[in-house]
Amino acid sequence: LAKTTQPISMDSYEGQEVNITCSHNNIATNDYITWYQQFPSQGPRFIIQGYKTKVTNEVASLFIPADRKSSTLSLPRVSLSDTAVYYCLVGAQGSSNTGKLIFGQGTTLQVKP
Amino acid sequence: DSGVTQTPKHLITATGQRVTLRCSPRSGDLSVYWYQQSLDQGLQFLIQYYNGEERAKGNILERFSAQQFPDLHSELNLSSLELGDSALYFCASSVGYPGKDTQYFGPGTRLTVL
C-alpha cells in the first residue's frame, strides 16, 4: 500500500475554505484515494473517495492531478464542528486486496471562531 | 449513526484477564474489520473477516483472536491482558470483499487495563 504524507495540523477560521493536501508518490495504478474524518473517541467516518480528476459530494471535494501523486481534500466554509482529524488513505482495489485500511498520522484541523 | 454497533462501550479490567468485544455489522455487510487505536500507535488494522472466514491479518497479537459467526456478528477476544492493551477498539463493516466499498465504523469499545 502506498505511503501517504499529510500535514500534522492546520488551523482555520469559521467560514473559510480549507484545503488539505496529501502526498502519495508511490501510488499504484489500481489505487483509490479515500479520506476519513475522526472526532475524538469516535470511529472514523468516510468523507470522500476518488481515482482521478475531481470528485464532489455534499460535504467535500477531492482534487486529484493527472499524475495522481497527490490529492487535495477541500472543505468549503468550515464550521467549528469540522474540527477533527482527517486521514488520507491510498489503497489498491481489486480481487487480491482485502480492503484493510492503513491509517497514517492524519491532519488535525482546528477551526477557530 | 453508522449502523455498526459495538458492545460494551467501556470495559475496565485487570492485567492477566480475558475480555470479549462484540460487533454487529450493518445490515447486509459481509466484511468485518477490527482496528485498535492507542495514543502512541494511532489506528492499527488488526484482522478482517468476510462472510465467516478470516481474510487478512494485520498487527494482531497472538493473545488476541477473533471470529465471525453465521449471523455475521463478530467477536474480538483479548487474553492475558497487559497495561499496553488499553486502547479504543473499533469495528468496521463493509458490503463486500475486496474493499473498494466504504467501511463504516462503530462507536468503539474503550478498554482500560489496570
Side-chain angles (χ1 to χ4, degrees):
Chain A
L1 296 171
K3 177 179 167 57
T4 61
T5 302
Q6 50 183 127
I8 297 288
S9 64
M10 292 182 69
D11 289 341
S12 182
Y13 291 92
E14 282 191 291
Q16 288 189 333
E17 177 185 74
V18 171
N19 295 310
I20 306 175
T21 296
C22 178
S23 168
H24 29 80
N25 291 320
N26 296 323
I27 190 169
T29 304
N30 293 335
D31 285 351
Y32 279 74
I33 300 154
T34 311
W35 286 80
Y36 279 79
Q37 174 194 55
Q38 186 179 27
F39 298 111
S41 298
Q42 293 186 26
R45 183 175 73 101
F46 172 87
I47 302 176
I48 197 166
Q49 183 181 73
Y51 183 79
K52 61 180 180 180
T53 62
K54 177 183 174 182
V55 179
T56 297
N57 61 22
E58 63 276 7
V59 298
S61 294
L62 179 59
F63 299 91
I64 306 168
D67 66 5
R68 303 199 327 119
K69 293 184 183 299
S70 67
S71 59
T72 299
L73 173 72
S74 180
L75 305 173
R77 298 179 299 281
V78 294
S79 64
L80 295 176
S81 63
D82 292 316
T83 294
V85 179
Y86 292 82
Y87 294 97
C88 164
L89 295 96
V90 173
Q93 313 298 337
S95 60
S96 63
N97 182 262
T98 65
K100 64 183 179 183
L101 299 178
I102 308 297
F103 287 84
Q105 83 280 12
T107 297
T108 298
L109 172 65
Q110 179 70 51
V111 179
K112 302 175 183 178
Chain B
D1 185 359
S2 67
V4 178
T5 60
Q6 289 187 248
T7 56
K9 190 169 183 177
H10 299 279
L11 199 49
I12 301 175
T13 188
T15 54
Q17 294 298 304
R18 172 190 170 95
V19 297
T20 298
L21 312 183
R22 182 188 169 101
C23 168
S24 292
R26 294 187 322 149
S27 177
D29 284 0
L30 299 178
S31 268
V32 169
Y33 308 77
W34 286 97
Y35 295 85
Q36 178 193 55
Q37 186 170 36
S38 54
L39 284 175
D40 57 347
Q41 292 291 322
L43 266 161
Q44 300 284 325
F45 167 76
L46 294 178
I47 197 165
Q48 178 205 359
Y49 280 84
Y50 174 77
N51 204 21
E53 294 185 7
E54 181 184 303
R55 279 305 184 192
K57 268 187 175 180
N59 301 321
I60 187 167
L61 301 172
E62 287 190 8
R63 300 182 285 109
F64 296 180
S65 64
Q67 55 183 329
Q68 186 179 27
F69 295 86
D71 66 354
L72 301 177
H73 90 271
S74 178
E75 292 180 357
L76 179 66
N77 301 297
L78 315 176
S79 61
S80 302
L81 286 167
E82 302 174 359
L83 296 178
D85 297 327
S86 295
L88 267 169
Y89 290 85
F90 291 106
C91 165
S93 74
S94 68
V95 172
Y97 151 79
K100 173 182 178 297
D101 48 345
T102 301
Q103 288 190 26
Y104 294 87
F105 284 75
T109 293
R110 181 175 292 281
L111 174 66
T112 302
V113 182
L114 301 175

